[in-house]
Amino acid sequence: MSAPGGLRASPTTPQYGASAWLLHRAELTPGRQALVEGATTLTYAQLADRILRAAAVLREIGVGRHDRVATLLSNSIEFMELFYATAELGAILVPLNWRLAAPELDFQLHDAGARALFVGAEHAALAAKVETELARFAIEEYVRRRERAVAAERPAERALFGEPHLILYTAGTTGHPKGAVLTHANVFWNIPNMAIPVGLTDRDTTVTVLPMFHSGGIGLYTVPSLTLGGRVVIVRKFEAVPLLDLLQREHAALCFGVPAIWLEMLKLPAFTQANLPELRFVVSGGAPCPTSVMAELDRRGFIYLQGYGLTETAPGGTLMPVPDWKRKFGSVGKPAPFVELRVARDAGEPCDAREIGEVQFRGPNVFAGYWDRPDATAEAFTADGWFRSGDLGFLDEEGFLTLVDRKKDMVITGGENVYSAEVEDALFAHPAVAEAAIIGVPDERWGEAVCAIVVVRPGMAATADELITHCRSRLAKYKTPKYVVFVPALPRNAAGKVLKRQLREEVRIRDQIKA
């Protein structure tokens, strides 16, 4: 279609993918620091050189356009090299979750059809149990090859903007996980979606704590920071005291963590804005954050921004506007700048304000579909093109989103809907409760009964009757837990989300309930 009035038609997208953005940044600011990991610091020029030599290594082992390259790596500079090197060749990166068991990794490697697997030293024993046949490279061997490699001329057919770059396997609530395919375009649009609301600049240092096999480790805020010319400090493993020291030493402006991370940080008396004057924001997502945690972060002087998204949204979907963070406690904010959001009824009509329905997304950040699963891809979208998140929530009169539950985790007791977030928040208000999760258990009379799985704070105690009475003073009777089960810890995935399916399978409710 020609442009009106004789004007030239503007291109609708950049031509090339993620490696082009980084290499261009290296031309603009070659001497500026890009990545820091431990005692190692790389400038943008050094990182660009490593990426081109890493691409040469991949070519040497036969990796070509659209081939899948898997990694079993902790957060590291080497991971980021392979992230961009696969983009340079038009290959597809498959970051694997090193917390999985070997049979689970076998499935994902086979499902993706991976050509090669790069393994970190700390994951060698796990990789040895993987039975899938493919070329394997210890990270030490990769580093030796990269140091010897010569950065070749850039390929004529490097990755294009709309092509796949990542296959990220989602946890899945039933059956095998599915590989969510993110294109370079999806990754690109996450950059302004997440950078604009927090005013991210090239002068900022961000600390990456979330594992890089997760979309949050990549998109919050590693790739946005590197594309803008900022500085990224990589944390291989989360530990509260070392993270506090790192935030101080590196003058971090921004840090993203799931609520479980901020719960641990709040155990440190020195974790205050006064001791971290350059930390503009603590940002959270991946799981609901109790309002009691938000209030404590506020008391310690921090600006806390809650967001929400999924692997399938690359991952940013919403973020709390900075001016509203206190008055909208409990909300996950408003849609990111280039995201469309609606809450819809089962029949597809938009819900009224404060009416609970399924949260749905549309926009250039929404993934391309599930790898080799056209059936699952079709089920994930409405007839008019909205992605079904599977999460339940509502929009208030100002357009702020509040989440209430996963659609499949909602408890229905006596015909009444009980949303986990409300009950869990009531439990968190008890001083002895460190963690809590709500699940439904079979009940002969009501169909399901509300059961609370609780972790008690160290050095404190609580009884089931005490917690039930506590909730009853805050909730309707049908929402109040009928049972309370105490456990040492809640199972969580890499994004910090509680694995409720695992709770249902592992917790023997009837054996542990105390009359």
Side-chain angles (χ1 to χ4, degrees):
M1 180 182 293
S2 61
L7 299 174
R8 291 181 66 248
S10 296
T12 57
T13 63
Q15 183 176 3
Y16 295 117
S19 63
W21 319 333
L22 191 286
L23 295 176
H24 179 60
R25 170 48 60 185
E27 293 175 354
L28 295 174
T29 54
R32 180 174 289 168
Q33 289 187 6
L35 290 177
V36 178
E37 182 195 347
T40 303
T41 298
L42 294 185
T43 65
Y44 276 93
Q46 291 168 330
L47 176 57
D49 178 64
R50 284 201 184 189
I51 289 166
L52 293 175
R53 285 191 280 132
V57 172
L58 293 178
R59 276 196 293 268
E60 286 174 7
I61 65 175
V63 173
R65 194 173 188 78
H66 297 163
D67 285 339
R68 276 77 69 200
V69 175
T71 59
L72 196 62
L73 298 175
S74 298
N75 289 4
S76 59
I77 287 175
E78 288 75 22
F79 178 91
M80 293 309 303
E81 293 169 15
L82 292 168
F83 174 88
Y84 287 110
T86 49
E88 181 68 2
L89 297 181
I92 302 173
L93 188 68
V94 187
L96 298 176
N97 181 348
W98 35 261
R99 294 171 178 164
L100 299 179
E104 295 172 298
L105 296 174
D106 275 328
F107 169 80
Q108 294 181 13
L109 287 164
H110 183 269
D111 185 70
R115 185 183 183 96
L117 172 65
F118 289 85
V119 181
E122 61 268 55
H123 308 304
L126 174 58
K129 299 176 184 177
V130 172
E131 297 180 358
T132 304
E133 291 297 324
L134 78 172
R136 305 182 194 204
F137 301 91
I139 202 64
E140 296 85 356
E141 180 184 353
Y142 157 74
V143 170
R144 286 193 295 271
R145 285 177 176 243
R146 186 206 65 213
E147 289 175 351
R148 295 196 303 265
V150 176
E153 291 294 321
R154 300 193 66 191
E157 295 189 359
R158 56 193 183 273
L160 299 176
F161 193 62
E163 291 186 312
H165 184 202
L166 300 168
I167 299 177
L168 300 174
Y169 279 87
T170 60
T173 53
T174 59
H176 287 298
K178 302 183 291 290
V181 178
L182 295 183
T183 66
H184 293 269
N186 297 148
V187 174
F188 174 85
W189 284 105
N190 180 71
I191 296 168
N193 278 339
M194 293 294 97
I196 290 173
V198 298
L200 191 66
T201 75
D202 60 353
R203 297 181 298 277
D204 291 330
T205 293
T206 184
V207 175
T208 297
V209 182
L210 290 190
M212 290 175 171
F213 60 70
H214 184 266
S215 60
I218 295 168
L220 300 167
Y221 280 79
T222 307
V223 172
S225 292
L226 292 174
T227 307
L228 292 175
R231 183 169 175 267
V232 175
V233 179
I234 296 172
V235 176
R236 292 180 71 89
K237 179 184 178 183
F238 166 69
E239 294 177 290
V241 172
L243 178 58
L244 176 59
D245 293 341
L246 191 70
L247 293 171
Q248 291 175 314
R249 184 171 68 252
E250 301 293 347
H251 307 286
L254 190 73
C255 185
F256 182 94
V258 296
I261 286 176
W262 301 124
L263 279 166
E264 287 300 309
M265 295 301 290
L266 287 171
K267 294 178 182 178
L268 306 178
F271 181 60
T272 68
Q273 181 73 65
N275 290 322
L276 296 164
E278 293 167 287
L279 189 62
R280 294 203 308 273
F281 307 112
V282 294
V283 191
S284 184
C289 187
T291 54
S292 58
V293 172
M294 300 180 197
E296 179 61 17
L297 287 165
D298 178 31
R299 191 185 71 79
R300 297 203 188 185
F302 293 108
I303 295 176
Y304 173 86
L305 302 181
Q306 176 84 343
Y308 161 64
L310 306 95
T311 300
E312 291 88 345
T313 58
T318 73
L319 197 62
M320 177 61 67
V322 176
D324 302 300
W325 82 276
K326 283 190 187 182
R327 76 181 185 91
K328 290 292 184 178
F329 263 16
S331 167
V332 293
K334 288 190 170 185
F338 302 101
V339 173
E340 291 182 82
L341 176 140
R342 74 179 185 186
V343 175
R345 301 175 185 134
D346 289 341
E349 308 96 339
C351 291
D352 296 329
R354 299 192 177 274
E355 179 186 356
I356 293 172
E358 183 182 41
V359 181
Q360 300 176 355
F361 289 101
R362 190 167 65 182
N365 62 309
V366 175
F367 78 137
Y370 296 111
W371 180 258
D372 203 25
R373 290 288 304 275
D375 55 335
T377 300
E379 291 174 7
F381 289 88
T382 65
D384 53 348
W386 291 81
F387 169 64
R388 305 176 189 270
S389 72
D391 289 323
L392 295 173
F394 64 86
L395 294 169
D396 68 13
E397 294 78 5
E398 298 177 71
F400 287 84
L401 176 66
T402 297
L403 300 176
V404 295
D405 215 340
R406 285 288 297 172
K407 205 168 186 179
K408 294 179 180 178
D409 288 338
M410 182 177 66
V411 180
I412 303 176
T413 178
E416 297 282 0
N417 295 342
V418 178
Y419 301 106
S420 299
E422 185 179 11
V423 186
E424 289 163 1
D425 209 45
L427 284 163
F428 270 111
H430 191 284
V433 174
E435 297 183 86
I438 294 300
I439 61 174
V441 296
D443 186 274
E444 291 183 2
R445 182 177 182 185
W446 304 112
E448 280 189 305
V450 179
C451 178
I453 315 297
V454 173
V455 178
V456 176
R457 293 185 184 278
M460 302 189 75
T463 66
D465 287 343
E466 179 184 347
L467 293 181
I468 290 170
T469 301
H470 166 82
C471 289
R472 184 67 186 89
S473 68
R474 290 164 169 77
L475 300 169
K477 185 176 181 180
Y478 73 89
K479 297 179 184 179
T480 300
K482 185 176 182 180
Y483 307 116
V484 177
V485 175
F486 295 98
V487 296
L490 296 179
R492 295 179 183 272
N493 66 13
K497 294 179 180 178
V498 176
L499 300 174
K500 293 193 177 182
R501 180 186 175 200
Q502 185 174 329
L503 277 179
R504 295 186 189 98
E505 293 172 351
E506 294 182 358
V507 176
R508 291 194 228 170
I509 302 297
R510 292 178 184 173
D511 291 346
Q512 297 190 50
I513 291 171
K514 306 223 172 167

